[in-house]
Structures are given as structure tokens and as C-alpha cells.
Amino acid sequence: MDSIIFDLDGTLWDSRDAVVLAWNKVLSQNKVNKELTRDDFKRTMGLPFEEVSKTLLPDVDKEVVKKVLDDTCEVENVYLSEQGGLLYDDVEDVLKTLSQHYELYIVSNCQDGYIEAFYQYHGLGKYFFDYENPGRTGLSKGDNIKLIIERNQLLNPVYVGDTNGDLQAAEHAGIPFIYAKYGFGEVTEYEHAVDRFDELLGMFM
């Protein structure tokens, strides 16, 4: 193994506090009579942005939904760059150790600027070689993983994530999947699983 590609939401952090604030602010500004909660986002974290809107706003006019999505992307990025999210236990210490032995990457289903906000607030960008998301490429998570592999000439990467979508993306890219059981999803097929982020050290070191 020469590299580890990470999912972001449910794997490295829980950003729901800021995300809920952003969505509810934008919904109010667009006069959508709906208030979302952290639990609403437990079932949507990691989904493509369009799927999130279909799940959370199924009865809202499509033009309004498009405006809400566009506005929410911007507001989320601002909120997250200013207040961050909840890092899982020992994330920085583990990343620091792993980065001394492997190249680290992030591939997440998010808008452009979201991963940058994660880097900016928490100062963790120094541990990662590269990152990708559909907000920049328009590609699926699986194709973005393949893009990272090709762009960085990776020979034997693994993908760490917490949802069935992450499993499917890893399978699409043809690489092993490590299941982060502490995250948002429930996955029944995986190469390995960890109950805590720091268990990656015992697996990879």
C-alpha cells in the first residue's frame, strides 16, 4: 500500500452543526417554510448535493431548490471556514503519523470550497497531497477517486469511508474499502473496519 484516500464527512469530521445553520439560513432567506435538524443530515451526509436536496426538499419547486443549493454551497463554505466542524478523536495525531509513511488524499461528495474550508479552519491541509470533489470536476465519487489515482500515479491505494456510497465508489475505482464504523452509514461489505479513527494506526503501521 502506498497511499490512503479519505472520505471527509463521517470519516474525518462531523460538520452538521455548521451545515444545519447554513441550510436553515438559506431556507429562511428563500421563504421556504421548513427547518432542518442535525438528524436530517445524518441520512444525507456523503450523498451528492442533488440527492441531498431531493431527500430534504422533495416538495419544493425545482427552481427554488436550485437557488437554495447554490446559496447553501456559499454559506456553508463561509460558516465552515470560520467555525469548522467536529473532528473525530485523534484525527490530527493519526494523520500526522500516517503522512510520514503514506501519501494521503481526500475525495468527498461536496461542493467546491468545502474541503478548502476544512483545511483552512483546522489547518490539516499540510498532511494531504491532493483532493477532489464533484463541485470541481462534475464527476462521481468513484470517478474522482480514479482521477486522484491517475493524477498522482498511485499504485496501491485504499479508500476509507463510512457509507455504502463510499463502498461503491471504491469498488468502481477498483481499490480496497476500509469502513469507518463510527460515521453516518451502515455498511455490510468491506475489506477491513475500524470502530475509532486511531485504529487505522494499528492497521497500517
Side-chain angles (χ1 to χ4, degrees):
M1 188 180 75
D2 63 341
S3 51
I4 306 169
I5 308 172
F6 291 94
D7 172 51
L8 181 49
D9 295 322
T11 301
L12 298 177
W13 74 349
D14 180 347
S15 64
R16 286 179 296 166
D17 286 342
V19 168
V20 167
L21 288 176
W23 274 82
N24 284 333
K25 177 180 180 178
V26 171
L27 289 174
S28 177
Q29 289 174 338
N30 285 275
K31 298 181 171 54
V32 177
N33 186 26
K34 187 176 183 69
E35 185 167 349
L36 300 171
T37 68
R38 291 179 87 255
D39 285 341
D40 288 322
F41 286 95
K42 182 172 184 180
R43 55 198 174 98
T44 61
M45 280 295 189
L47 292 176
F49 226 52
E50 295 76 13
E51 293 298 319
V52 173
S53 65
K54 289 179 183 178
T55 302
L56 298 178
L57 307 173
D59 302 321
V60 178
D61 179 81
K62 289 183 179 179
E63 288 302 314
V64 176
V65 169
K66 184 179 185 306
K67 179 70 162 52
V68 167
L69 287 179
D70 290 344
D71 292 351
T72 300
C73 285
E74 295 183 16
V75 176
E76 271 189 7
N77 290 346
V78 171
Y79 279 17
L80 288 168
S81 65
E82 292 177 348
Q83 68 185 65
L86 176 65
L87 292 179
Y88 291 110
D89 290 344
D90 302 314
V91 159
E92 180 162 13
D93 289 341
V94 172
L95 290 176
K96 181 178 180 180
T97 299
L98 290 175
S99 69
Q100 295 169 1
H101 302 271
Y102 304 99
E103 294 183 6
L104 307 184
Y105 301 86
I106 294 178
V107 173
S108 175
N109 270 341
C110 61
Q111 69 270 22
D112 191 22
Y114 187 89
I115 297 173
E116 293 91 331
F118 166 76
Y119 286 166
Q120 179 177 328
Y121 184 83
H122 294 287
L124 299 178
K126 59 192 174 185
Y127 300 118
F128 296 93
F129 275 72
D130 197 1
Y131 64 93
E132 205 50 89
N133 60 74
R136 292 205 305 185
T137 67
L139 300 174
S140 69
K141 178 174 279 189
D143 284 333
N144 278 323
I145 293 174
K146 292 173 75 171
L147 181 61
I148 284 287
I149 292 171
E150 293 165 6
R151 191 160 70 203
N152 295 280
Q153 300 181 321
L154 307 184
L155 299 177
N156 191 22
V158 299
Y159 189 71
V160 181
D162 68 306
T163 67
N164 267 311
D166 294 332
L167 166 64
Q168 292 164 6
E171 289 177 338
H172 178 79
I175 64 174
F177 174 68
I178 311 299
Y179 174 34
K181 296 174 71 173
Y182 54 83
F184 299 124
E186 295 184 8
V187 182
T188 57
E189 297 179 25
Y190 44 82
E191 251 70 30
H192 300 283
V194 292
D195 291 304
R196 303 186 318 273
F197 191 75
D198 64 0
E199 289 181 6
L200 291 173
L201 291 179
M203 183 177 299
F204 294 141
M205 301 301 294

